[in-house]
Amino acid sequence: MTTQNKPRIGVYICHCGMNIAPKVDVEEVARSIQTLDHVTVARDYKFMCSNPGQDMIINDIKELGLNRVVVASCSPRMHEKTFRNAVKTAGLNPYYFQMANIREQVSWVTKDSQEATEKAKSLVAAAVGRVFFHQPLETREVSVTKSVLVIGGGIAGMQAALTSANAGYEVYLVEREPSIGGHMAKFDKTFPTLDCAACIMTPKMVDVLQHPGITLYTWSEVHKVEGFIGNFEVTIKKNPRYVDEKKCTGCGTCMQKCPTKKVVSEFNEGLSFRTAIYTPFPQAVPNVPVIDADHCRVLGQNKKCGVCVKFCETKAIDFEQKPEFVTLTVGAIITATGFQAVNPSGMEQYGYGRFPEVYTSLEFERLNNATGPTSGKVVMKNGKVPERVAIVHCVGSRDTRHKKYCSRVCCMYSMKFAHLLREKTGAEVWEFYIDIRSPGKLYEEFYNRVQEEGVRFIRGRVAEITDIVDDATDEGRLTVIAESTLTRRTVRVPVDMVVLSVGLEPARGSEDIGRLLGVSRDGDGWFNELHAKLAPVATPISGIFLAGCCQGPKDIPDTVAQSMGAAGEAIALLAKGIVTTQAEISRIDPDLCSGCKSCIESCSYSAIRFDEARKVAVVNEALCMGCGSCAAACPSSAAGVKHFTDQQVMGEIESILL
Amino acid sequence: MVKSMSDFQPKIIALVCNWCTYTAADLAGTSRLSYPANIRMIRMMCTGMIDPKYILKAFLDGADGVFIGGCHPGDCHYINGNLKFKKRMAGMEAIIKQFGFDENRLRLRWIGASEGPEFQHNMTDFIQTIQDMGPSPAQGIMVL
Amino acid sequence: MKICFYPGCSFATSAGYKESTEAVCRKLNIELNEIPDWNCCGATVMFGENKLRATALAARHFALVQTMGFEDLVTGCNACYATLRKAARLLTEDQELFQKTQEVLQNLGLKLDRIPKIRHLLEVLMEAMPDSTSDRYKTLSVGAYYGCQLTRPDQDLDKGDYPEILEHFLDRIGFSVKEHSARTQCCGASHAVIYKNECQGLSQRIIREIANKGAEVIATICPLCQFNLDQAQIQDNGPRLPVTYFTQLAGLALGLAPAELGLNKLLVSADKVLTRP
Amino acid sequence: MSQNDTNPFSTIAHLESINQCIQCGTCSGSCPLADLMDHAPRELFALIREGAYEEVLHSNTPWFCVSCYACMVRCPREIPVTDLMYALKEVITKQGTAPQNLKMPDMYQAFSRNIKDTGKVTESLVMARYGMKHPMDALKNIPLAIKMQMRGRLELKAQKVADPKSIARLFELTETSKDKP
Amino acid sequence: MSVYAMVKDTSVTEAVKAALTKLISQDLVDAVLVAAKSPYSALPMPTLFANAEAMDGIDPLAPAAPFNAARQAATVSRQATGKRLALVLRPCEIRALIELVKLNQCTLENVVLIGIECLGRMENEVFLRHAAAQGDVTAEFLKNTSLQDDITRTCKMCEQFEPAHADIVMSTLGMAENSVLFASGSETGEALLKELGLSPAEKPAERETVTKQLLEKRAAFKKEVFAETSEKINSIEKFEEMIGTCLNCYNCRQACPVCYCKECVFLTDVFSARPETLLRRAQKRGSVKLPTDTSMFHLTRLSHIAHACVGCGQCSSVCPSNIPVADIFTTVAAQVQARYDYVPGRDVQEPIPYLMFEEKQKSGEPK
């Protein structure tokens, strides 16, 4: 409170028609407030929020030189904005204003009018005591860089990138595998319409590659993220491909000639091998191979080889490539890091890893896929077509020892598998389930169709899979044991092949991405959305959004819809181009700050960074939500929320009690 | 229960969070749920913003009771501001108790934005509790 | 090494478990301090009749162990192991049960303060047995059979459905071990004695699986499992596999003679397998 | 699950965990003797939840539990199925409602009586006492008994603790009845 | 398992000097902060030595500490300088230092903590009186129980006289005359002891009994003080009587090692009362003593550091009005620390209670 603008307070008591006046003696309140220090004028009026009411304030400010205004009327949640605008139009900073709620919290809830009047006087005095310490506040605009970073190149990341780019914004898509496509690229068909995954996805992948607005970084990782909404400085680490993307034509000769043939193919879920120089699958985008340094004879065991160099017509092979770091500024970040399948070897009773004919769902997808290890023919390891196959639902899901949640997609993909088996092999299919969950559009109809195709649905969670057979003729087969709860029989079904419908868990490395971005994760490792219903794609860190399974298990339709939603939020931010910071946010006085970082520990929005040079904490105004946790944690009150300072709050308390 | 010391009118400071308890208070108002006029409410953006010295100042300046109203855990507009304040409560209670203020003169309750009736009940109940307890020991003595 | 040992009711009448355990412990100079005046642990019966009584029956030993000044209590039978561990768990979880049990034992002149750690004889030998120095038994292929209650319900010694510690042990002391899928399948326990026909299949299934996987001998760690697998073979015409105790095999590995190990007490004789050079 | 006074199982520890049962059948699928049971273990939980106490009291299911714990380690809701089977047997024994012709309760009775009398279990004596109620069953075991005798594994003399009266005293002190659980 | 060594010399002070000077002469550390007599006063002050010869006046076992040296130790270890530093501190000073590390005020990086088994300190003027009477107060103090009764009231109730967090511990309890026991408290400590080449020794048996007796005596006195103090301040009026002579000089804040604020909020304009506020308070209450907010100061300071109070007693020592501030603060601190099951200085990884708010919580009543 500088000396030249010595407070001159105007107080206005509203009748609010019949809502305040009869119960609260507004004249008496005005009279008593007039006696308080620094109160220049105290009036009462029938409808303060009406135009004449507001004009009264504006005129008083102009004529009487008021520099503080108090209105005692309804709840500030109703008309604080209205009166602040009035004060502003009179040329006074809108934050030189305070309301006293004498309607909802006095006249409407107090029986005796004498008591109501006393309470009103006390609350108005409190408002006067507070407004005395008010400071002029401004909101600030922060410009937003018109570009988006998308982390993860699966269907979610691709969709988010395409929608954002189609809105005309620069998009940087980072994918750590050699090609975009994610898990969906591994699928053969997708439920419920049995579209072929490649048919609906490859066009999108090509769009991403060719879209002028999208810069694609595959075989790369996000290395560091700094800054805040509108101004994120992102460092991307491009791992060496040892193949020059510009020169390579994707002819594939190097991959045929490479002598190292026995590397386990991650893309084929370990069911087949690949060479040291490889693309994960034929329709890879970009169609440029990478050299797996560990297994390459030259890079890994520094032996002499160079077969690929010899056969590459465009001389694209370059063993000297080093990791490159690219830094760029983006306005928004969309996380689409996806999921990975739960590893069922922790459930010994299912024998995964011990019995060769027990497959996980992703492995079975590869068996079905034309580019898979068996070129789409569903055959056992011995090459024969299975005559009877069991599909086991809820493997690792809905189980407090593993994943207590339902992974939402396994019932539907299990039924898809049953259909493919019936169609391709005519094998007898036994599907063991607890509850069929088919909630989406055409989902129940798909379940019905699979029933029609003669799939045997047994309601019972599989207790055990064993290679002990009850009758000798089933030698070499696996026996699936479960209680068929609807017929109260324990069924022991000899089968040739078992498919474990494993649940979903967060992708490997999502913990690091969470730490890089400051986005917290729930008990199961999925990223926390800001609000499950009101802000499902936002995170507590403004400017960072979530798309797809990284926020929780979901099927492809929901993933694509959510990705478009996340892109929508990002576009809204970029389109506006500016972010107006709140006025009532925290400020840390560098002279008082002892550098103890208690405020940083308390801040849930990672909105305070530590200036190592000056050894003080500094608020990032664009991220601060004004919650005040830092103010309460700071003993010296170096940290304080503007408009809720110690003086203001204690001024209010003191005016009530003394 | 006969109203003891009927002439004693407690003065109670209520520090409440804007998003939940203050909204519930407004709702109690619009639903015309009346309660005694001893409460003086101060609007904070979050209970996580309440500095311990506000509570000490209230008691030393003669408040007979201090009520803190916040959002239910999990509903906090700022994720976990309410839990930050709850962690300080134990320490505050120990301090005021040692200096002769009954621990129950300080009360923390979660009141959601839609809980108008609960708000009314909490106000009436707390006022009655303080009424029974009688004036604060800091009343009528010179606090240095 | 000194251990406090709880033999259990079927130790003496077993097919050489007592003899082989004592012989092996003598050889490895492990001092077997048998609890004096031990009583029946109640096995799978008493907890089905009266929880307090079953706990008291088991806890009587905890008081005796305390007076003997031991921290751990070792037993060789899965049923005793599971029952004693269940009583120990209940006493630590349920304060009221602990007080009531204390009162009952006080009445019998016993003081219960501390609950010992219950360990299986296999754990003791896993630490004490030296690695094999000869490959005399490398040609003898053994199937390890755990029964149910060593690794269930707590799964702290090893995984409940697919344990491997007995395999590692037998391999380390010089036998050739055959993997199989019946390692924790149930042999029918006490029901096999009363419902012979209904439970016959359980034991035969286990023996067939171990034989199919190429084992010539079965190693067990519980008197009841040994009894069921042994007597199930004299009824049917399936494969003949001698059902030994892991302590008997350990004895052989230490160079002790079969006679000292009570191997003559098996129903399905092991002579043919053991006399091979 | 109505906690009214007619629920004879209300004293069982952790009984409330059966509220989480999703009737998935893993326990019965894992149970070695499920085929001999009139109800699957999960069915008993459903019956208790619906208040059909009589049907549970007269069920033979708990008496076929071999206590192998396979159900307990695999239950996706971590319900202590085996412990609950023991507790059900305790209530059924006290209520005296086990099915009449069932062999296992009589075996358990003989087993328990042998402990009460001597403090230990001597298999032959338990089989003898059990044989009084089920002579045919006992006789079937004679050939096996002879084989055991030939290998010196048949103990006919009762094994005893030093002071059997103290064990009998233990039984008295832990006596609980239907109305005083 | 700790490693022990023993040094015997003409006096305890010489014994300590013999060992500590080696730290620099054998280039094990670059500097040592240890209490030492300056040429100008017998009162030992924390002094930073960089060469062995200068360490002549060191006397860390002297029963005197002008202030809690944690604050000085924190200034020299504000951030890692790459230099190896040995800090010779009392248990309450080490515990305060650990709290300051948690508050990012200093670091333990390449710092060696040499803890003293502290048998208590005297008020400065009492120590100086004894120093005037006989030369080597330290030796006399260890022998003569009457001198031991002259230690401050707060020291008489201190149960944590064994340093917990130290790499090396120097102790005298139960030792023969003129000899000091060196015990290792960590691997670094063990390595240093070996480097110093002190003659290994066994822990004397009677140390056990002597320590136990002292602990019981201190615990009993502490109980007594807590009960007495709690009784004396269990109403706001009684508290006012206790602080009736407080001058708002804020010495107690200045001396407190864990009161780390660069500028106390009570010195900022938040608490500089304005004329009309004072007038209004006087109108409402009839009168107002100046300076105001005295109770507010003590209670607010309590709410800031009650969890971190290490019971060093310096606040009482520096109070010009001889108010038993330490009695009040240790009594309340014990209650607050018990409620959070938090022991200041116990473990540098143990977070400050207020900064650990559980994420998920059942929504039931918060009480």
Side-chain angles (χ1 to χ4, degrees), chain A residues 346 348-349 354-355 401 464 466-471 475 481 492, chain C residues 153 155 159-162 179-182 185 205 208-209 212-213:
Chain A
E348 288 83 14
Q349 68 264 33
R354 283 192 290 129
F355 304 136
R401 270 176 253 267
E464 185 180 340
T466 177
D467 60 350
I468 307 173
V469 286
D470 295 334
D471 127 23
E475 207 52 51
I481 306 170
R492 294 175 176 79
Chain C
Q155 305 199 65
K159 300 184 287 304
D161 274 312
Y162 200 78
E179 298 268 327
H180 64 88
S181 302
Q185 294 297 310
R205 180 168 177 269
R208 202 172 53 248
E209 163 63 7
N212 281 357
K213 293 289 168 59

Side-chain angles (χ1 to χ4, degrees), chain A residues 349 397-401 404 433-435 459-464 481-486 488-490 492, chain D residues 22-26 28-32 34-35 37-40 42-43 71-78:
Chain A
Q349 68 264 33
S397 290
R398 300 183 68 189
D399 184 338
T400 50
R401 270 176 253 267
K404 55 183 180 309
Y433 68 94
I434 306 176
D435 306 289
R459 191 202 169 279
R461 178 171 180 264
V462 168
E464 185 180 340
I481 306 170
E483 185 208 2
S484 167
T485 56
L486 302 183
R488 254 291 286 126
R489 292 169 59 245
T490 303
R492 294 175 176 79
Chain D
I22 52 174
Q23 297 294 315
C24 71
T26 304
S28 359
S30 310
C31 181
D35 304 342
M37 295 174 174
D38 51 21
H39 294 293
R42 58 166 182 87
E43 274 185 293
C71 53
M72 201 155 140
V73 293
R74 292 179 183 162
C75 170
R77 289 296 207 244
E78 290 183 272

Side-chain angles (χ1 to χ4, degrees), chain A residues 302-332:
Chain A
N302 53 49
K303 293 203 197 98
K304 273 184 29 1
C305 174
V307 165
C308 51
V309 177
K310 194 145 75 39
F311 283 95
C312 179
E313 276 127 17
T314 58
K315 292 295 161 257
I317 310 290
D318 168 10
F319 288 126
E320 296 318 315
Q321 263 191 16
K322 292 282 174 284
E324 266 178 65
F325 288 90
V326 176
T327 48
L328 27 94
T329 317
V330 290

Side-chain angles (χ1 to χ4, degrees), chain A residues 427-545:
Chain A
E428 223 182 271
V429 177
W430 292 64
E431 199 156 328
F432 295 86
Y433 68 94
I434 306 176
D435 306 289
I436 291 293
R437 294 183 167 179
S438 47
K441 221 171 180 177
L442 296 178
Y443 281 28
E444 186 67 15
E445 294 85 337
F446 183 73
Y447 171 33
N448 187 237
R449 166 205 177 134
V450 172
Q451 284 174 303
E452 278 165 3
E453 288 170 355
V455 173
R456 300 160 196 256
F457 284 91
I458 305 295
R459 191 202 169 279
R461 178 171 180 264
V462 168
E464 185 180 340
I465 298 168
T466 177
D467 60 350
I468 307 173
V469 286
D470 295 334
D471 127 23
T473 58
D474 289 318
E475 207 52 51
R477 282 180 134 175
L478 295 174
T479 308
V480 177
I481 306 170
E483 185 208 2
S484 167
T485 56
L486 302 183
T487 58
R488 254 291 286 126
R489 292 169 59 245
T490 303
V491 291
R492 294 175 176 79
V493 184
V495 293
D496 303 308
M497 182 191 276
V498 175
V499 180
L500 299 181
S501 301
V502 289
L504 278 58
E505 62 183 10
R508 167 182 55 79
S510 53
E511 194 188 336
D512 308 332
I513 294 290
R515 206 173 304 114
L516 273 179
L517 301 174
V519 175
S520 61
R521 303 182 323 138
D522 69 14
D524 299 309
W526 305 108
F527 287 128
N528 279 331
E529 67 285 357
L530 182 57
H531 193 283
K533 291 173 273 298
L534 304 177
V537 292
T539 65
I541 313 295
S542 9
I544 297 183
F545 306 100

Side-chain angles (χ1 to χ4, degrees), chain C residues 25-126:
Chain C
C25 285
R26 251 196 320 280
K27 182 80 176 169
L28 297 171
N29 49 55
I30 299 173
E31 201 190 289
L32 266 179
N33 298 296
E34 185 172 311
I35 300 184
D37 194 23
W38 51 270
N39 57 276
C40 169
C41 72
T44 53
V45 172
M46 293 316 292
F47 268 108
E49 181 183 295
N50 178 324
K51 183 168 156 183
L52 175 60
R53 179 172 299 155
T55 312
L57 273 174
R60 181 168 173 273
H61 301 103
F62 301 161
L64 294 172
V65 165
Q66 193 178 310
T67 47
M68 293 166 72
F70 278 90
E71 290 292 316
D72 302 353
L73 176 59
V74 177
T75 176
C77 152
N78 277 5
C80 307
Y81 176 76
T83 308
L84 293 173
R85 278 179 77 114
K86 177 167 181 166
R89 179 163 49 84
L90 290 178
L91 286 171
T92 27
E93 271 168 17
D94 185 341
Q95 221 28 32
E96 199 200 331
L97 182 67
F98 185 78
Q99 261 120 32
K100 277 199 195 134
T101 311
Q102 259 178 337
E103 274 154 38
V104 170
L105 292 180
Q106 244 135 33
N107 248 287
L108 306 180
L110 288 165
K111 201 157 109 36
L112 171 66
D113 305 323
R114 239 176 347 79
I115 297 167
K117 184 169 183 307
I118 314 294
R119 296 177 69 211
H120 195 283
L121 184 61
L122 173 62
E123 291 175 76
V124 173
L125 289 195
M126 271 159 67

Side-chain angles (χ1 to χ4, degrees), chain B residues 83 87 93 98 103 109, chain E residues 335 339-340 358 361 365:
Chain B
L83 302 181
K87 195 61 190 278
E93 280 163 354
Q98 173 59 69
E103 221 170 346
R109 283 294 182 274
Chain E
Q335 290 160 31
R339 286 202 181 201
Y340 289 109
E358 302 81 27
Q361 196 186 0
E365 275 318 303

Side-chain angles (χ1 to χ4, degrees), chain A residues 67-340:
Chain A
N67 51 27
R68 301 284 194 285
V69 173
V70 168
V71 172
S73 60
C74 56
S75 166
R77 292 176 51 253
M78 291 261 289
H79 279 305
E80 188 167 50
K81 270 206 184 57
T82 328
F83 291 117
R84 274 188 179 160
N85 288 340
V87 166
K88 197 171 174 196
T89 44
L92 186 60
N93 184 291
Y95 286 89
Y96 278 131
F97 169 75
Q98 178 66 15
M99 280 186 81
N101 185 345
I102 59 170
R103 185 178 70 173
E104 284 87 343
Q105 290 174 16
V106 179
S107 63
W108 277 351
V109 288
T110 315
K111 292 198 175 63
D112 172 80
S113 103
Q114 214 279 328
E115 278 177 12
T117 306
E118 277 317 304
K119 185 172 181 182
K121 276 191 207 165
S122 178
L123 289 182
V124 178
V128 169
R130 188 183 208 285
V131 86
F132 177 86
F133 291 107
H134 278 198
Q135 304 280 334
L137 301 180
E138 307 301 335
T139 56
R140 231 163 41 73
E141 254 108 44
V142 178
S143 69
V144 174
T145 317
K146 306 263 183 187
S147 58
V148 189
L149 169 76
V150 177
I151 307 174
I155 180 68
M158 289 196 305
Q159 187 53 59
L162 281 172
T163 309
S164 308
N166 292 342
Y169 295 105
E170 191 60 44
V171 176
Y172 304 99
L173 176 58
V174 179
E175 167 55 52
R176 70 177 166 199
E177 294 303 329
S179 160
I180 55 176
H183 278 111
M184 188 172 165
K186 299 182 179 180
F187 301 160
D188 176 39
K189 294 284 187 297
T190 57
F191 57 78
T193 52
L194 293 177
D195 296 302
C196 130
C199 312
I200 50 178
M201 197 153 97
T202 324
K204 265 201 201 300
M205 290 163 66
V206 173
D207 282 355
V208 166
L209 182 68
Q210 289 165 351
H211 199 295
I214 299 177
T215 314
L216 184 54
Y217 294 97
T218 53
W219 200 236
S220 308
E221 293 151 31
V222 175
H223 182 63
K224 194 157 56 138
V225 175
E226 279 174 343
F228 50 90
I229 180 169
N231 307 277
F232 291 107
E233 281 104 46
V234 178
T235 314
I236 297 172
K237 179 183 178 202
K238 288 179 68 178
N239 295 314
R241 282 184 111 92
Y242 305 106
V243 174
D244 184 337
E245 288 186 65
K246 296 187 193 62
K247 292 185 184 151
C248 168
T249 61
C251 70
T253 319
C254 56
M255 291 191 275
Q256 281 134 23
K257 299 295 180 193
C258 174
T260 315
K261 305 272 190 229
K262 281 286 180 278
V263 184
V264 171
S265 157
E266 300 85 355
F267 190 79
N268 276 338
E269 296 291 319
L271 294 176
S272 69
F273 295 105
R274 62 164 168 81
T275 47
I277 180 167
Y278 72 102
T279 53
F281 56 101
Q283 312 92 325
V285 166
N287 189 12
V288 176
V290 296
I291 297 184
D292 164 6
D294 305 341
H295 292 98
C296 164
R297 297 183 185 203
V298 172
L299 293 162
Q301 296 110 20
N302 53 49
K303 293 203 197 98
K304 273 184 29 1
C305 174
V307 165
C308 51
V309 177
K310 194 145 75 39
F311 283 95
C312 179
E313 276 127 17
T314 58
K315 292 295 161 257
I317 310 290
D318 168 10
F319 288 126
E320 296 318 315
Q321 263 191 16
K322 292 282 174 284
E324 266 178 65
F325 288 90
V326 176
T327 48
L328 27 94
T329 317
V330 290
I333 298 177
I334 299 177
T335 314
T337 46
F339 71 92
Q340 68 189 24

